[in-house]
C-alpha cells in the first residue's frame, strides 16, 4: 500500500509572509539545499499583489490581531508519477476544493526520503486565504479593505466573506476535511489505475482498514495493518536520527547499537524507527505470503489446463514449429552478433596505434604506410647494389631504376621524418599526453563492455539450447506421436545491441510459451498462468 498524507493547518497573523517565502523558496530561503527541493510553484493573486509573499505580508498587516492569516494543505504526492502528472493533480485538487475565487499559492517540493535516499519524497504545500473574492481577482478590493471584517448590510464597505468550509466551527471543518481526504484518495487511486500502477492509498485509519480487511476475510492484511500509527519526527529530529543511522550502520550486525544510540537521543525517534522496522517486516511477510499463494494457484491452474489440452489434443504442431524456429533464430542471431562484437573489439596490442590514429585524424596510419614504403625502397636499393655493385658498373636500365628509387626514397624519408617529428612533439606535449590517456581509457572500457556483451550472448545461447531440449520434451509428454520438422529458413530479427537482443529474445520465448498454453483459444487473464518446463523453479520462463 502506498503512502497517504493530507493535513490542514492554520497560520497565525504575523507568520504568513515568512511561511510563504519558506514554501516558495524565496527571500531568505532562496539559496542552498532548500532551494534545490523546489519543483514548481504557482499562485492566484489579486492584481495589486506583486507576489504571493507580498499578498501574505498584507494579511499579516491587515488581518485582525490573533486572527488566522492563512490555511494550508500539506499533501503527499505519488512518487511513481512524473512531476508534470503531479502538477496536474494539484491543479485538479485546487479546482475541486479551493477554486479561483480565493487567493492561493502552492509549491511542489521533492527530496530524498529521510531514511531511504533511493525513494523520492514529493509533496505540495497549498497556502490559502479563505476570503471569497466574488468580483474577481482583477477587481479585488485594496489591501486595507480586502482583509476587513465582512459587512453583511453594506458589503462594499467591508472586507470579503470567509469560506465556512475552511473557517467555520471545528465540527464543520472536520466534516469538510473528511470529504476532501476521501476525494484525494479517489484521485490518487484513479491515477494509479490509469497508469497501470498496482498500488492504492487509503485515507482511513489503520483500525478502519483492519476492520475492512477482517470483513473481507483477508487475515494477512489484518496482520499487516495491526501496528501503531507512525508519528512524524519533524525535519530537525529526522536529520539527527538519520545522522546516527549513517554513522553507526543499519545492518544486522549494527542495528542494536544504532537503536540504543537513537533511544538515548530521543525516545520518540526510537519509537518511530521501531515502527518503521515493524512495518517493513510485515510488508515483506505479506508480499511473500501473497506470492506463494499466487504461485500455488497458478500452478494448479496451469496443470489443470495442460491436462485438458493433452486430453483434447488442442496442442498443435505449428505452435512447436514456430517456437523452435524462434529459438533457432535467436541462436543464429546471437552467433552473428558475437562475430560482429569480436570484429569491433580492439586487441590490446593494437590500441596505441588506434589511439594515435584518432588523435592525428588518420595521419598516423598514413605515416605507417609511408614507413613501409620507405623500407621497401631501401630493401630494393640494397638488392640492386648487391647484384650489380657500384652505380658506375650498373647497366643503363638498372642505373635508371636505382636513381629513380633513390630519389623517391630520399623524398619519402624526408617527409616521413618531418611528420614523425611533428606527431611525436604533439604526443609528448602535456595536452597530447592527457588526450592519449583519456582515449586509451575509453577504448579499454569499450572493449571491456563488448567482451561482457559477448559473454552474455554466449551464456544466453547455452540457455536457448537447453530450452530447445526442454520444449521438445514437453511436446513428447503432451503427445507422444507429435512429429517435429525443423524448417531451414526463418525470418531473423534485425540486428541490435547485445542487451537488446537478450531482452527481446526472452520476451519472444515467454510469448510463444504462452501461445502454446493458449492453443485452446480461451481468454486467460494476464499473469495467471505458469508454464513449468522442468521440476526446478525458474522465474525466467514463468508467466
Amino acid at each position: 500500500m502506498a503512502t497517504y498524507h493530507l493535513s490542514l493547518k492554520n497560520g497565525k497573523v504575523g507568520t504568513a509572509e515568512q511561511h510563504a517565502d519558506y514554501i516558495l523558496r524565496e527571500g531568505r530561503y532562496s539559496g542552498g539545499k532548500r532551494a534545490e527541493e523546489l519543483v514548481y510553484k504557482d499562485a492566484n493573486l489579486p492584481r495589486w499583489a506583486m507576489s504571493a509573499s507580498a499578498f501574505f505580508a498584507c494579511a499579516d498587516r491587515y488581518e485582525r490581531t490573533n486572527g488566522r492569516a492563512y490555511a494550508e494543505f500539506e499533501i503527499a504526492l505519488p512518487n511513481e508519477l512524473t512531476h508534470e502528472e503531479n502538477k496536474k493533480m494539484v491543479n485538479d485538487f485546487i479546482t475541486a476544493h479551493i477554486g479561483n475565487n480565493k487567493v492561493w499559492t502552492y509549491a511542489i517540493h521533492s527530496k530524498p526520503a529521510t531514511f531511504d535516499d533511493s525513494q523520492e519524497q514529493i509533496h505540495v504545500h497549498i497556502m490559502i486565504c479563505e476570503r471569497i473574492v466574488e468580483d474577481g481577482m482583477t477587481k479585488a478590493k485594496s489591501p486595507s479593505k480586502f482583509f476587513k471584517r465582512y459587512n453583511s448590510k453594506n458589503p462594499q464597505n467591508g472586507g470579503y466573506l470567509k469560506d465556512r468550509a475552511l473557517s467555520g466551527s471545528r465540527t464543520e471543518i472536520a466534516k469538510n476535511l473528511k470529504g476532501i481526504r476521501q476525494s484525494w484518495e479517489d484521485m490518487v487511486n484513479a491515477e494509479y489505475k490509469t497508469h497501470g500502477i498496482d498500488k492504492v492509498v487509503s485515507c482511513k485509519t489503520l483500525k478502519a482498514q483492519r476492520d475492512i480487511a477482517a470483513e473481507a476475510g483477508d487475515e494477512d492484511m489484518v496482520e499487516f495493518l495491526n501496528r501503531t500509527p507512525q508519528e512524524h519526527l519533524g525535519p530537525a529530529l529526522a536529520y539527527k536520527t538519520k545522522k546516527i543511522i549513517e554513522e553507526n550502520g543499519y545492518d544486522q550486525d549494527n542495528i542494536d547499537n544504532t537503536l540504543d544510540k537513537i533511544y538515548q537521543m530521543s525516545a520518540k525517534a526510537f519509537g518511530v524507527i521501531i515502527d518503521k522496522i515493524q512495518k517493513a517486516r510485515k510488508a515483506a511477510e505479506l508480499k511473500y505470503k501473497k506470492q506463494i499463494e499466487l504461485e500455488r494457484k497458478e500452478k494448479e491452474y496451469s496443470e489443470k489446463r495442460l491436462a485438458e489440452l493433452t486430453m483434447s489434443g488442442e496442442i498443435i504442431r505449428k505452435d512447436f514449429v514456430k517456437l523452435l524456429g524462434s529459438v533457432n533464430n535467436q541462436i543464429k542471431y546471437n552467433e552473428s552478433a558475437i562475430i560482429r562484437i569480436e570484429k569491433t573489439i580492439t586487441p590490446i596490442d593494437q590500441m596505441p596505434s588506434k589511439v594515435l590514429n584518432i588523435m592525428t585524424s588518420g595521419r598516423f596510419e598514413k605515416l605507417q604506410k609511408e614507413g613501409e614504403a620507405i623500407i621497401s625502397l631501401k630493401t630494393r636499393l640494397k638488392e640492386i647494389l648487391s647484384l650489380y655493385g657500384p652505380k658506375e658498373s650498373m647497366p643503363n636500365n638498372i642505373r635508371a631504376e636505382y636513381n629513380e628509387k633513390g630519389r623517391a626514397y630520399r623524398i619519402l624519408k624526408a617527409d616521413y621524418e618531418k611528420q614523425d617529428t611533428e606527431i611525436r612533439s604533439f604526443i609528448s606535449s602535456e595536452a597530447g599526453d592527457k588526450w592519449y590517456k583519456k582515449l586509451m581509457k575509453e577504448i579499454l572500457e569499450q572493449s571491456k563492455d563488448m567482451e561482457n556483451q559477448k559473454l552474455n550472448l554466449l551464456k544466453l545461447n547455452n540457455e536457448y539450447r537447453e530450452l530447445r531440449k526442454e520444449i521438445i520434451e514437453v511436446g513428447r509428454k503432451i503427445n507422444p506421436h507429435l512429429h517435429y520438422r525443423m524448417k531451414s529458413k526463418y525470418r531473423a530479427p534485425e540486428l541490435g545491441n547485445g542487451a537488446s537482443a537478450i531482452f527481446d529474445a526472452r520476451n519472444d520465448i515467454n510469448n510463444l510459451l504462452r501461445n502454446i498454453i493458449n492453443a485452446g483459444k480461451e481468454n486467460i487473464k494476464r499473469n495467471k498462468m505458469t508454464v513449468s518446463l522442468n521440476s526446478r523453479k525458474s522465474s525466467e520462463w514463468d508467466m
Side-chain angles (χ1 to χ4, degrees), residues 2-15:
T3 301
Y4 180 96
H5 174 74
L6 185 150
S7 64
L8 177 65
K9 301 189 295 186
N10 295 318
K12 293 181 179 180
V13 169
T15 65

Side-chain angles (χ1 to χ4, degrees), residues 11-269:
K12 293 181 179 180
V13 169
T15 65
E17 180 186 11
Q18 182 178 344
H19 191 68
D21 279 345
Y22 171 74
I23 70 165
L24 298 170
R25 300 304 192 246
E26 295 175 358
R28 60 186 285 197
Y29 304 102
S30 60
K33 286 188 176 181
R34 293 279 189 195
E36 294 173 5
E37 295 172 359
L38 181 67
V39 173
Y40 182 78
K41 58 184 177 182
D42 200 359
N44 184 48
L45 303 169
R47 187 167 61 181
W48 52 260
M50 300 301 292
S51 67
S53 294
F55 174 85
F56 284 107
C58 291
D60 284 335
R61 180 179 178 183
Y62 292 109
E63 280 284 4
R64 66 180 177 82
T65 306
N66 297 326
R68 182 168 56 236
Y70 67 90
E72 180 189 16
F73 283 106
E74 273 189 15
I75 307 174
L77 300 175
N79 62 11
E80 298 86 358
L81 303 184
T82 65
H83 290 331
E84 280 299 315
E85 289 164 349
N86 273 315
K87 185 175 115 180
K88 180 180 180 301
M89 286 195 71
V90 172
N91 289 332
D92 290 344
F93 176 85
I94 289 173
T95 300
H97 300 294
I98 301 170
N100 284 326
N101 62 347
K102 299 183 192 68
V103 174
W104 50 258
T105 185
Y106 75 80
I108 297 175
H109 296 166
S110 180
K111 62 179 181 179
T114 305
F115 300 109
D116 185 359
D117 291 340
S118 65
Q119 291 293 320
E120 185 179 19
Q121 188 183 72
I122 184 165
H123 58 280
V124 64
H125 298 264
I126 308 174
M127 285 181 71
I128 310 156
C129 175
E130 302 116 306
R131 296 181 181 274
I132 302 170
V133 186
E134 73 277 354
D135 48 0
M137 293 297 163
T138 57
K139 298 180 181 179
K141 296 175 182 179
S142 64
S144 59
K145 275 193 174 182
F146 192 100
F147 298 99
K148 287 180 70 174
R149 185 185 294 274
Y150 177 69
N151 188 331
S152 58
K153 293 182 179 180
N154 297 296
Q156 67 277 10
N157 294 330
Y160 290 114
L161 180 67
K162 289 190 175 183
D163 186 351
R164 298 289 295 176
L166 301 176
S167 62
S169 66
R170 289 187 177 182
T171 304
E172 287 178 297
I173 294 174
K175 181 180 178 182
N176 291 325
L177 185 58
K178 185 177 180 181
I180 290 172
R181 286 173 60 81
Q182 181 61 56
S183 172
W184 180 249
E185 173 190 317
D186 296 339
M187 290 172 70
V188 174
N189 288 336
E191 283 296 309
Y192 277 153
K193 187 174 181 180
T194 298
H195 291 86
I197 299 170
D198 187 21
K199 288 185 179 181
V200 292
V201 296
S202 176
C203 66
K204 298 176 179 62
T205 64
L206 286 174
K207 182 181 183 306
Q209 293 179 59
R210 280 200 303 273
D211 292 342
I212 293 171
E215 285 183 17
D218 192 343
E219 295 180 3
D220 292 331
M221 183 58 73
V222 170
E223 173 59 26
F224 172 67
L225 296 168
N226 185 24
R227 60 179 192 272
T228 307
Q230 191 170 297
E231 290 188 78
H232 183 62
L233 288 180
L237 192 53
Y239 173 78
K240 291 178 182 178
T241 306
K242 183 179 181 182
K243 191 174 180 182
I244 290 175
I245 290 172
E246 289 174 347
E247 289 176 350
N248 296 275
Y250 203 57
D251 54 21
Q252 195 63 39
D253 295 334
N254 300 305
I255 186 67
D256 291 338
N257 179 50
T258 302
L259 289 174
D260 185 54
K261 290 190 176 182
I262 291 173
Y263 183 77
Q264 292 174 25
M265 187 265 296
S266 165
K268 180 181 178 181

Side-chain angles (χ1 to χ4, degrees), residues 389-451:
K391 187 165 66 171
E392 294 76 13
S393 61
M394 294 177 185
N396 290 337
N397 61 329
I398 299 299
R399 187 184 304 122
E401 181 190 354
Y402 183 81
N403 290 337
E404 181 185 351
K405 292 191 182 300
R407 281 193 299 273
Y409 172 75
R410 288 189 293 275
I411 292 169
L412 278 175
K413 185 178 179 185
D415 181 64
Y416 177 88
E417 289 174 348
K418 179 183 176 183
Q419 292 193 61
D420 183 60
T421 301
E422 290 176 358
I423 291 172
R424 288 180 184 277
S425 176
F426 171 62
I427 298 301
S428 61
S429 68
E430 184 179 348
D433 182 62
K434 187 176 180 180
W435 192 14
Y436 178 87
K437 289 176 180 176
K438 180 176 179 291
L439 287 173
M440 278 293 289
K441 183 180 178 182
E442 289 175 357
I443 290 176
L444 281 167
E445 288 176 351
Q446 183 185 31
S447 294
K448 184 179 179 181
D449 180 61
M450 298 304 286
E451 285 286 359

Side-chain angles (χ1 to χ4, degrees), residues 322-323 326-327 329-330 333 464 467 491-493 500-515 541 543:
K322 184 179 179 182
L323 178 60
S326 176
V327 172
N329 267 347
Q330 291 300 334
Y333 163 71
Y464 280 145
L467 177 62
R491 182 183 174 191
S500 175
I502 293 169
F503 179 80
D504 292 343
R506 291 190 183 280
N507 278 344
D508 288 344
I509 296 304
N510 283 340
N511 290 335
L512 287 165
L513 284 169
R514 188 176 285 111
N515 288 340
W541 307 114
M543 291 166 291

